[in-house]
Amino acid sequence: GQQVMQIPQYQHVQEGEDFTTYCNSSTTLSNIQWYKQRPGGHPVFLIQLVKSGEVKKQKRLTFQFGEAKKNSSLHITATQTTDVGTYFCLRGTGNQFYFGTGTSLTVIP
Amino acid sequence: NAGVMQNPRHLVRRRGQEARLRCSPMKGHSHVYWYRQLPEEGLKFMVYLQKENIIDESGMPKERFSAEFPKEGPSILRIQQVVRGDSAAYFCASSTIHQQGGGETQYFGPGTRLLVL
């Protein structure tokens, strides 16, 4: 259906290790957005991907959109404790929006 | 430029009471979205409104829930006769434009944490 699956659901890493979360859709996406939600906080927009195969970077964060526009990934290099939070992808369809199930990242100092 | 504002930030209600959640979008934003986040879960789309119009309420429960975005004033999410299962964080977001299929950046408010006793 419209659900966007994210894996993994939880990820614990040592500070300095890398982290990747994946979003997978059964249907082709027109675009995908990524948000970060700190514990107790609200979602904050990170990036939007539109083009097939698109790759965007923000400092230690790398976002990719699959060639078939059915999946996307967020990769964090050398995690820091400030990266703690839940990362969600968001797809829009019609007038509705569907968040991925989220990946909760814990960084162990 | 103030961000999206929501109040109250925390709301406690007893079963059967009404909860009114308010959202003031960012200046210049005419599109408002409401989401519900149950504890330890993701965000679920509830409703999309423009000024004086409900555009899509397919994610909102048919009973007890209603939303409005009047010409003047904030958007209101109203929950009548609350039950314990309504306990959740309710976030609103706003955007300057709206495109079918997404594409606009949504700016989220801090949320209202509703606790039903």
Side-chain angles (χ1 to χ4, degrees), chain A residues 10-25:
Chain A
Y10 301 97
Q11 185 79 57
H12 293 69
V13 299
Q14 290 286 145
E15 189 173 16
E17 291 182 336
D18 292 355
F19 159 77
T20 305
T21 173
Y22 301 88
C23 270
N24 298 300
S25 170

Side-chain angles (χ1 to χ4, degrees), chain A residues 73-86:
Chain A
S73 65
L74 158 59
H75 179 83
I76 303 178
T77 304
T79 54
Q80 300 175 359
T81 54
T82 53
D83 296 325
V84 165
T86 301

